[in-house]
Amino acid sequence: MSDAADDAIAGGDQRRGSLALTIRDVARLAGVSIGTASKALNANGRLSAETRGRVLRVASEIGYRPNDLAQSLHRARSMTVGILSNDSFGRFAFPIVEALERRLSDHGIAVFMCNATDDPVRERRHIEQLLGKRVDGLVVTARRADKREPIEPVARGLPVVYVYSRVESPDALCLLPDDKGGAALAVTHLAALGRKRIAHITGPERFEAVRLREEGYRDALARAGLVAEAEECLAGDWSEAWGREATRRLFKRRRPPDALFCGNDQIARGAIDALRDLGRSVPAEVAVVGFDNWEVMAKGARPPLTSVDMNLDALGRAAGECLLDMMSGRAVAGVRRLPCSLVVRESCGAHARSSAAGELNA
Amino acid sequence: MSDAADDAIAGGDQRRGSLALTIRDVARLAGVSIGTASKALNANGRLSAETRGRVLRVASEIGYRPNDLAQSLHRARSMTVGILSNDSFGRFAFPIVEALERRLSDHGIAVFMCNATDDPVRERRHIEQLLGKRVDGLVVTARRADKREPIEPVARGLPVVYVYSRVESPDALCLLPDDKGGAALAVTHLAALGRKRIAHITGPERFEAVRLREEGYRDALARAGLVAEAEECLAGDWSEAWGREATRRLFKRRRPPDALFCGNDQIARGAIDALRDLGRSVPAEVAVVGFDNWEVMAKGARPPLTSVDMNLDALGRAAGECLLDMMSGRAVAGVRRLPCSLVVRESCGAHARSSAAGELNA
DNA sequence: AAGGATTGGGAAAAGCTTTTCTCACTTCGA
DNA sequence: TCGAAGTGAGAAAAGCTTTTCCCAATCCTT
């Protein structure tokens, strides 16, 4: 640090307890007024090159950094947004939030993280706090949305994006993965590989995602001309145990399936384990496809699991994009479903030509 | 909303584009000066009960909320902290961050989330941004700390807590799980159950955690008098595949182990799968204990996996506590290691009396 | 009833920037 | 050489709170 910096700290307004340097310090050290210093720093007004240079030099020497609080107060834009989650930012919310944060931080926007964990009181408190901090926008994400939560009664005019979460209000913007399309992708792929009897093992029916994936499954079967002989759908919970159980059940029947499309990767893993126990080889006898493309799960399976990827990061990026749009005044609303992809590994029996990059887009 | 609120919005300073109500609005509607309104809202000065009541009533009617930006500017305390992560807030950072956020939000402190993903440029930018926002503190968390990152050259006097991450500087505060103790906990437990030949399958040696857990393993063996006959330590990577591979290797030998202590839950899962393939029953013939207590992994295993829990939420809470301490002026420094617990399930062969709540503390 | 004490409320500054307006000084042309 | 045009920099207000200081009015005491 230079002498100037020491001066700025030692001399001058010693009384001010704050350790942060202000534009006053810059101005004083550069021998100009505060307004002039501001203009120099913001490349704004009409200044001589010499003055501008001097101010900038001083500023960088003492490591001056403008106080965002004051700037925000002045501009009535805080350059912050809040993210409200219930998932405890778990496996699903997180990739979204991460992509979102990245997108926004590229625009100089910082992100407040708030975790309400399904406690309405905490949620309310968080919203109050965010409003107090004058956030420029709000993102709401939820756990694997079972039932849609009511829209927040937030201040009018505040941009809100719901991502991986759904509300009824027609003027709200909801960003969701295309569960139906993702399921169809998987089933169509299996059918194209010659599988005839494709069963579906999935999670609790109360999840909208479960219902949509089931729809996609049925549609794709119909389109492949497989309905009559194949349709078979078992709903349970999201666990490996259920995957094993359901598989055992299916293979007790007279005509067991030659492919399993599972509602998530844990179920798929359970299914693969059960098939191994039953002496059925995967993928030769039975092909298996999962959902979520949860890497540790999918890659750890034997054989590695083909799975539908919800492209959560794309969802997060899109949320960021929409929020930026709304913040700059454009109105966006409605429900948007973003495409899933299929990540092909070995469990489905496709010749994994490019096993690493083998992605089919919806 | 009441008439007063409509007045506040429709009448008065219409020119001001901002939609947020200010203390001016409250004052005007209550027929008092701004200062008086402030005093009423903060229960501060000497006011008649009647005036105070009137101001409060108006404020609540129009839904007034003080502008934290202005408050922060005035108080020179922003009531915000930044969390910097490299883990992409993955599986490890997240429980910590969540507990931390909860702890701090109870004190009215909001949390900026910044993800640097090991990019030093992004990290620097984030720090700059946080300093601009005048955060009152900083928390740094890292991925499963392989090598310790250098300390940040942050503004002097800004409280910083490193959690699940380690730096060399002696006046830094680092909060870490007690890997060594956790490992000892597992091994001691196995020894107490009568296992004699306990092998250790673990991750890459470059991780400090790997070295510490190995130390704990050796110490516990020594304390149990098992050194000569048992010591066996295989380092590989953190995957299920490695768990399977290492297990196969161990069971090709003349005298295979009767227990496996694994460096994480994925390795443990691989080990269990390999044992099943080899026809060795778990836990009857071989006991298995993992590390991390990653619920989906541990509960999905067959049998459910006994595992060491790093109590990441306690770590997060402690980080919050320390940060609050530092923010209120107390100096804290040094490396603190918080105890792990052992979560007993079935894979270790303990009579799982209370299988759900069976926790041994370090 | 008059002086002092108390009470209730207002005015203003401070906290840090940005921006607009104004002013003094230079330069150029006539 | 004088007036006009132009250039560079400062003063001040605004943005929203909080807090200190002060003043006017009321009350009590003697």
Side-chain angles (χ1 to χ4, degrees):
Chain A
M1 215 184 262
S2 74
D3 292 349
D6 290 337
D7 277 6
I9 292 157
D13 329 50
Q14 186 67 291
R15 68 189 176 289
R16 188 179 71 257
S18 165
L19 1 73
L21 280 62
T22 77
I23 200 169
R24 299 187 105 79
D25 299 309
V26 178
R28 180 163 42 77
L29 263 46
V32 298
S33 76
I34 291 180
T36 302
S38 173
K39 281 182 273 194
L41 291 167
N42 296 295
N44 226 352
R46 310 151 59 76
L47 260 56
S48 72
E50 194 269 329
T51 308
R52 187 182 306 278
R54 185 153 35 95
V55 171
L56 290 178
R57 187 153 22 83
V58 167
S60 103
E61 268 174 10
I62 68 174
Y64 166 74
R65 169 186 333 289
N67 184 330
D68 284 5
L69 264 37
Q71 285 190 339
S72 298
L73 184 60
H74 187 77
R75 307 201 172 117
R77 284 202 63 190
S78 66
M79 302 296 276
T80 58
V81 308
I83 301 192
L84 228 80
S85 170
N86 285 317
D87 185 20
S88 316
F89 288 101
R91 179 154 51 98
F92 298 108
F94 209 80
I96 297 175
V97 171
E98 188 189 337
L100 181 69
E101 190 265 341
R102 175 170 225 118
R103 192 81 196 75
L104 293 176
S105 98
D106 287 345
H107 286 248
I109 295 173
V111 168
F112 281 116
M113 184 191 65
C114 300
N115 189 354
T117 332
D118 280 327
D119 175 349
V121 178
R122 276 178 68 77
E123 177 167 318
R124 193 64 226 163
R125 267 214 325 254
H126 271 134
I127 293 181
E128 295 293 316
Q129 192 187 36
L130 291 173
L131 292 179
K133 299 228 176 281
R134 296 298 189 267
V135 291
D136 297 328
L138 223 47
V139 176
V140 181
T141 96
R143 164 181 17 172
R144 199 152 191 152
D146 37 2
K147 64 177 175 227
R148 8 196 115 124
E149 63 193 25
I151 191 172
E152 336 284 333
V154 291
R156 29 179 165 184
L158 186 69
V160 181
V161 174
Y162 295 86
V163 55
Y164 209 76
S165 98
R166 193 145 153 34
V167 294
E168 296 286 8
S169 166
D171 47 342
L173 172 65
C174 301
L175 261 38
L176 295 161
D178 179 10
D179 289 288
K180 192 170 154 183
L185 208 56
V187 174
T188 304
H189 181 69
L190 288 169
L193 291 170
R195 305 290 169 166
K196 298 292 181 202
R197 307 182 53 77
I198 306 172
H200 184 34
I201 310 176
T202 186
E205 292 274 7
R206 74 188 140 84
F207 284 78
E208 184 185 40
V210 165
R211 298 193 298 273
L212 288 170
R213 289 171 198 178
E214 193 177 325
E215 246 183 79
Y217 159 75
R218 289 188 201 284
D219 283 8
L221 280 189
R223 253 179 287 132
L226 293 176
V227 183
E229 46 182 329
E231 205 167 302
E232 184 76 69
C233 185
L234 279 74
D237 60 31
W238 292 119
S239 70
E240 290 187 59
W242 163 241
R244 295 193 291 261
E245 156 74 15
T247 304
R248 279 194 294 267
R249 245 189 253 172
L250 284 172
F251 280 81
K252 264 186 201 140
R253 308 207 175 155
R254 253 176 309 152
R255 303 184 53 196
D258 59 2
L260 298 176
F261 166 49
C262 301
N264 79 357
D265 287 345
Q266 291 170 77
I267 293 176
R269 250 198 102 146
I272 287 182
D273 284 353
L275 289 169
R276 167 182 306 268
D277 291 352
L278 292 167
R280 310 269 181 163
S281 89
V282 176
E285 286 179 75
V286 186
V288 177
V289 175
F291 209 109
D292 291 348
N293 190 32
W294 187 12
E295 295 249 333
V296 275
M297 273 287 160
K299 287 190 174 162
R302 285 184 300 166
L305 185 65
T306 294
S307 185
V308 177
D309 191 313
M310 293 189 281
N311 292 322
L312 296 175
D313 55 340
L315 215 52
R317 273 199 305 279
E321 219 61 64
C322 290
L323 198 62
L324 289 169
D325 277 2
M326 293 169 92
M327 282 165 52
S328 61
R330 277 184 287 288
V332 213
V335 174
R336 295 192 193 172
R337 297 215 169 246
L338 270 58
C340 301
S341 339
L342 186 68
V343 177
V344 176
R345 297 198 183 81
E346 298 164 35
S347 69
C348 62
H351 317 295
R353 242 162 283 156
S354 55
S355 69
E359 272 198 30
L360 279 67
N361 249 300
Chain B
M1 216 184 262
S2 75
D3 291 349
D6 289 337
D7 277 5
I9 291 158
D13 330 49
Q14 186 66 290
R15 67 189 177 291
R16 189 180 68 257
S18 166
L19 1 75
L21 280 61
T22 75
I23 200 169
R24 298 188 105 78
D25 300 309
V26 177
R28 181 162 42 76
L29 262 45
V32 298
S33 76
I34 292 180
T36 302
S38 173
K39 280 181 273 194
L41 291 166
N42 296 295
N44 225 352
R46 309 153 59 75
L47 261 54
S48 74
E50 193 270 330
T51 308
R52 186 182 305 277
R54 184 154 35 95
V55 171
L56 291 178
R57 187 152 23 82
V58 167
S60 104
E61 269 174 10
I62 68 174
Y64 166 74
R65 170 187 331 291
N67 184 329
D68 284 5
L69 265 37
Q71 285 189 339
S72 297
L73 184 58
H74 187 79
R75 308 202 171 114
R77 284 203 63 190
S78 66
M79 302 297 275
T80 58
V81 308
I83 302 192
L84 228 79
S85 170
N86 285 318
D87 185 21
S88 315
F89 287 102
R91 181 154 48 98
F92 299 108
F94 210 80
I96 297 175
V97 170
E98 190 190 336
L100 181 67
E101 190 265 340
R102 175 169 226 118
R103 192 81 196 75
L104 292 177
S105 98
D106 288 344
H107 287 247
I109 295 173
V111 168
F112 282 116
M113 185 191 65
C114 300
N115 188 353
T117 330
D118 279 328
D119 176 348
V121 177
R122 277 179 66 77
E123 175 166 320
R124 193 66 227 161
R125 267 216 323 254
H126 271 133
I127 294 181
E128 295 292 317
Q129 193 188 36
L130 291 173
L131 293 180
K133 299 228 177 282
R134 297 296 189 266
V135 291
D136 297 329
L138 223 47
V139 176
V140 181
T141 96
R143 167 182 16 176
R144 200 153 187 148
D146 36 1
K147 63 178 178 227
R148 3 193 121 124
E149 62 193 24
I151 191 171
E152 336 283 332
V154 292
R156 28 181 166 181
L158 186 69
V160 181
V161 174
Y162 295 85
V163 55
Y164 209 78
S165 97
R166 192 144 153 35
V167 295
E168 296 285 8
S169 165
D171 46 344
L173 173 65
C174 301
L175 260 38
L176 296 161
D178 180 9
D179 290 289
K180 193 170 154 184
L185 208 55
V187 174
T188 304
H189 181 68
L190 288 169
L193 291 170
R195 306 289 168 166
K196 299 291 181 203
R197 307 182 52 79
I198 306 172
H200 183 35
I201 310 177
T202 186
E205 293 274 6
R206 74 189 140 84
F207 284 79
E208 184 186 38
V210 166
R211 299 192 298 272
L212 288 170
R213 289 171 196 177
E214 193 176 325
E215 245 182 80
Y217 159 75
R218 290 188 200 283
D219 283 8
L221 281 188
R223 254 178 287 134
L226 292 176
V227 183
E229 47 181 328
E231 205 167 305
E232 184 76 72
C233 185
L234 279 74
D237 61 32
W238 292 119
S239 70
E240 290 187 59
W242 163 242
R244 292 193 292 262
E245 156 75 15
T247 303
R248 278 194 295 268
R249 242 189 255 174
L250 283 171
F251 280 82
K252 266 188 199 139
R253 308 208 176 154
R254 252 176 309 155
R255 303 184 54 196
D258 59 2
L260 298 175
F261 166 50
C262 301
N264 78 357
D265 287 345
Q266 292 172 76
I267 293 177
R269 235 178 119 163
I272 287 182
D273 284 352
L275 289 169
R276 168 182 306 269
D277 292 351
L278 293 167
R280 311 270 181 163
S281 89
V282 176
E285 284 178 77
V286 186
V288 178
V289 175
F291 208 109
D292 290 349
N293 190 34
W294 188 12
E295 294 249 333
V296 277
M297 274 286 159
K299 287 191 174 162
R302 286 185 300 165
L305 186 64
T306 294
S307 186
V308 177
D309 191 313
M310 292 189 283
N311 292 322
L312 296 175
D313 56 339
L315 215 51
R317 273 199 305 278
E321 219 61 63
C322 290
L323 198 62
L324 288 169
D325 277 1
M326 293 169 91
M327 281 165 54
S328 60
R330 275 184 288 288
V332 213
V335 174
R336 295 192 194 174
R337 298 214 168 245
L338 270 58
C340 300
S341 341
L342 187 68
V343 177
V344 176
R345 297 197 184 83
E346 298 165 33
S347 69
C348 61
H351 316 294
R353 241 162 285 156
S354 54
S355 67
E359 272 198 29
L360 278 67
N361 250 300

